[in-house]
Amino acid sequence: MSITIAWIILFVAGLLEICWAVGLKYSESFTKLIPTIFTLVTLMGSMYLLSRASLVLPIGTAYGVWVGIGAIGAAVYGIVFFNE
């Protein structure tokens, strides 16, 4: 895998991290079935893609970027859609 593909995969992993983080809110502590399934599927996808990207990218860099995308994205989503 090329480094460019690894960065693209990492970016998608970060987007999926936003999805599962926001999904936690909608799942209401895993009491709602569909949001819970969404959360778990996007969590698994995010972790899998992070692991794939880390085959090429240094783990410290990959993890830092992944967390950064997720944290910023979840915060912005919360501000815009939950008035947090």
Side-chain angles (χ1 to χ4, degrees):
M1 163 185 348
S2 73
I3 194 160
T4 302
I5 297 298
W7 279 107
I8 292 168
I9 288 171
L10 182 60
F11 180 74
V12 174
L15 295 178
L16 287 175
E17 186 188 6
I18 297 167
C19 292
W20 72 256
V22 171
L24 287 173
K25 178 98 168 172
Y26 286 107
S27 75
E28 296 182 14
S29 296
F30 301 112
T31 60
K32 297 206 173 198
L33 181 62
I34 299 302
T36 295
I37 292 169
F38 174 81
T39 301
L40 295 175
V41 168
T42 54
L43 173 61
M44 288 186 295
S46 181
M47 292 287 179
Y48 173 75
L49 292 177
L50 173 62
S51 73
R52 296 294 299 174
S54 69
L55 292 173
V56 174
L57 302 172
I59 190 61
T61 301
Y63 183 72
V65 169
W66 179 74
V67 168
I69 292 170
I72 291 167
V76 169
Y77 191 95
I79 290 166
V80 172
F81 293 102
F82 297 133
N83 297 315
E84 294 178 340

